[in-house]
Amino acid sequence: MEVFTHSTTWYRRYLASDRARRQPSLAHMRATGHVLVDTPLAAEVRREAQELLEGGPQPLSPAELDAGRYTLTDLLDDLQGAGCPAQRPPSCPGLAQLRLGCSPPVGWAG
């Protein structure tokens, strides 16, 4: 069991950060977790988290898309130029972390 205690100010900052990172960790925990003390504030926090999850993140900006394309192309060039399989693994984690190549430019990354 984990207990999270945040002021409403910090909680909303974390939600904004999760949305910007496209990874709604806290929102998911708040929307699906168990409330120990059911209060109007707890219901408001759950509702805000559910709305954030349903609304999804903002679409990637053109600059973010361009940066992702550049990074993906650079990593693929590294893999293509690898002389032997032993040179490939350092580029592979970068490909796995690059969400642009694995998901559409809208929606949650994780």
Side-chain angles (χ1 to χ4, degrees), residues 65-82:
L65 286 169
D66 288 344
R69 287 184 188 110
Y70 175 83
T71 302
L72 179 60
T73 301
D74 188 49
L75 290 168
L76 290 172
D77 283 347
D78 287 349
L79 282 174
Q80 184 178 19

Side-chain angles (χ1 to χ4, degrees), residues 12-31:
R12 289 187 176 114
R13 285 183 188 172
Y14 286 126
L15 283 185
S17 173
D18 280 0
R19 188 171 193 209
R21 291 182 308 116
R22 307 176 71 78
Q23 294 180 332
S25 306
L26 185 61
H28 178 68
M29 286 187 276
R30 295 290 174 124

Side-chain angles (χ1 to χ4, degrees), residues 20-68:
R21 291 182 308 116
R22 307 176 71 78
Q23 294 180 332
S25 306
L26 185 61
H28 178 68
M29 286 187 276
R30 295 290 174 124
T32 63
H34 297 286
V35 175
L36 297 178
V37 179
D38 198 11
T39 65
L41 179 59
E44 179 183 343
V45 165
R46 182 178 295 272
R47 181 188 50 75
E48 287 177 359
Q50 288 170 334
E51 287 175 0
L52 182 117
L53 290 173
E54 290 168 5
Q58 294 294 321
L60 292 174
S61 70
E64 290 170 315
L65 286 169
D66 288 344

